[in-house]
Amino acid sequence: MAGTAAAGGVAAGAGGGGRPLIVTEDPLLLDDLLRLCAAAGAEPHVHHGHEVPGEGAPGVSAGGVGWESAPLVLVGDDAARRVRGAPRRDGVFLVGRELDDPLVWQLAVEIGAEEVLRLPDAESRLVDRIADVVEGAGRPALAVGVIGGSGGAGASTLACALALRAARAGERTILIDGDPLGGGMDVLLGGERAEGLRWPDFAASRGRVGAGALEESLPEVHSLRLLSWDRGDRVVVPPAAVRSVVAAARRRGGVVVVDLPRRVDEAVAEVLAQLDLVLMVVPGELRSVAAAGRVAAGVRMVARDVRVVVRGRCPGGLEPQAVAGLLGAPLAGEVPVEVGLPGRVAEGEPPGAQGRGPLARFCDGFWQRALGSAQAVPA
């Protein structure tokens, strides 16, 4: 069940807003509901009176919440009869331990409850629902993975540039380094010494990770949040923790970019399952295409949408459409070789920082199409 999201102390739902309303006089049920609210980072308002907890009802002080204004209402099965006259609204849940009585389900219909939840079986479901209210869950982030079809294809460079250009366009952006054996996205961005949590800090995560707390805990570099690996020996994070962290990153909205390794293990599969799109970077030559075919076969087992980005053109090499055709995937575009990019990166300039370079132009065009926005990205 949700609680502390990481060994580093990220509390689920920290920094949230809405206050759920609890209506019950059952002390044991109240203790359970308060505990679950605390796990989700919510501070509820508790109504003990015998009247419908409307906006002017006794016990609802100025600044408190009533039946109609609360973002979520949790009605104990002991109190269902008392709220039958309350106005119909969304976000009402009937909660109890013994819900086998058919009368309980009738009462749920009468009060307009969305669901009837039995504790302790539905605890995880209830924590998630409360946390959604606290975090103001809205449209999830557009999640894009970048993977190299062959070694040295430039996937990390493209992932870094995509995240940087999205951030400069004003999108809330989280860049996730999904390859523990890579050179490190923090190095590409010059954020090795930036304060914040890294992947090993989340290895002990269980249940739901708070989206706002995750974002605030990560290093901020070039106006984006970065989740990378540290310089320690740990190169494995449990798949369940990976799933929770990526889900939290998506719930915050905006854009999530993930730099993926070329192997698909259980943890990588958890990431792929949550991505909207995977860009496979492939140099335009036959040997790289052959390698990319094997990578694509593994990725397609999990990913919903895989597209090809052709990097550069080798003398006598394949045309971009031919590369995509051989791989049986749509062509997302071509990234020409950018002269001088390796040298600038070595001097501390992250990929995509040159707004007029071919890499930045590709990224800007990609986001304008993917996000449906014609907003220009500053150079």
Side-chain angles (χ1 to χ4, degrees):
M1 192 176 67
T4 299
V10 180
R19 293 186 63 189
L21 174 65
I22 296 175
V23 184
T24 183
E25 291 185 5
D26 181 338
L28 296 179
L29 179 60
L30 177 59
D31 285 346
D32 282 339
L33 293 178
L34 291 175
R35 173 174 55 83
L36 298 178
C37 285
E43 182 182 351
H45 179 88
V46 180
H47 183 82
H48 296 289
H50 291 278
E51 299 178 20
V52 174
E55 307 310 312
V60 181
S61 60
V65 292
W67 179 270
E68 295 178 67
S69 62
L72 184 72
V73 180
L74 306 177
V75 180
D77 56 353
D78 66 296
R81 292 180 179 83
R82 299 205 315 270
V83 299
R84 280 185 293 189
R88 290 300 178 102
R89 50 153 295 163
D90 295 330
V92 176
F93 291 79
L94 182 60
V95 187
R97 292 187 193 81
E98 301 296 334
L99 301 178
D100 295 329
D101 185 352
L103 182 58
V104 172
W105 297 89
Q106 179 182 336
L107 289 170
V109 172
E110 291 177 359
I111 68 174
E114 285 187 21
E115 285 187 58
V116 177
L117 301 176
R118 183 200 305 271
L119 301 182
D121 297 347
E123 285 192 353
S124 295
R125 159 70 179 149
L126 190 51
V127 168
D128 282 349
R129 190 66 180 85
I130 296 169
D132 281 342
V133 168
V134 173
E135 295 172 359
R139 183 177 181 180
L142 176 62
V144 178
V146 185
I147 190 169
S150 61
S156 295
T157 298
L158 178 58
C160 182
L162 282 169
L164 182 63
R165 300 311 297 173
R168 292 197 175 183
E171 295 290 337
R172 173 185 278 127
T173 305
I174 295 180
L175 174 59
I176 297 177
D177 187 350
D179 188 359
L181 301 181
M185 299 301 289
D186 55 345
V187 176
L188 271 179
L189 283 166
E192 306 98 304
R193 298 183 180 179
E195 293 185 1
L197 300 185
R198 267 68 174 179
W199 265 121
D201 296 311
F202 293 93
S205 298
R206 296 292 183 271
R208 184 186 178 105
V209 174
L214 172 69
E215 183 179 25
E216 293 167 7
S217 73
L218 298 179
E220 184 173 8
V221 185
H222 297 286
S223 301
L224 60 86
R225 296 288 180 166
L226 173 64
L227 176 54
S228 63
W229 297 85
D230 59 16
R231 306 278 82 88
D233 295 333
R234 178 184 281 275
V235 295
V236 176
V237 171
V242 172
R243 178 175 62 248
S244 296
V245 169
V246 175
R250 292 205 65 199
R251 286 198 304 275
R252 200 62 174 156
V255 165
V256 173
V257 179
V258 185
D259 181 39
L260 295 163
R262 292 174 59 216
R263 70 189 185 286
V264 181
D265 57 19
E266 192 175 351
V268 174
E270 292 287 359
V271 178
L272 289 171
Q274 298 193 58
L275 298 179
D276 298 298
L277 171 66
V278 176
L279 298 177
M280 177 174 291
V281 186
V282 186
E285 52 94 16
L286 191 57
R287 188 165 178 264
S288 295
V289 173
R294 292 189 291 272
V295 176
V299 172
R300 284 195 182 107
M301 294 177 66
V302 187
R304 294 189 290 268
D305 189 350
V306 181
R307 304 183 193 183
V308 174
V309 175
V310 177
R311 178 175 171 266
R313 294 198 186 188
C314 305
L318 301 169
E319 292 292 322
Q321 288 290 356
V323 172
L326 288 170
L327 292 171
L331 178 66
E334 179 186 4
V335 180
V337 173
E338 186 165 331
V339 177
L341 178 61
R344 294 197 302 272
V345 170
E347 293 173 359
E349 179 184 291
Q354 294 256 344
R356 294 178 176 83
L359 180 59
R361 287 198 299 272
F362 171 85
C363 295
D364 293 349
F366 171 81
W367 289 126
Q368 287 175 7
R369 293 188 300 273
L371 298 170
S373 170
Q375 180 181 0
V377 182

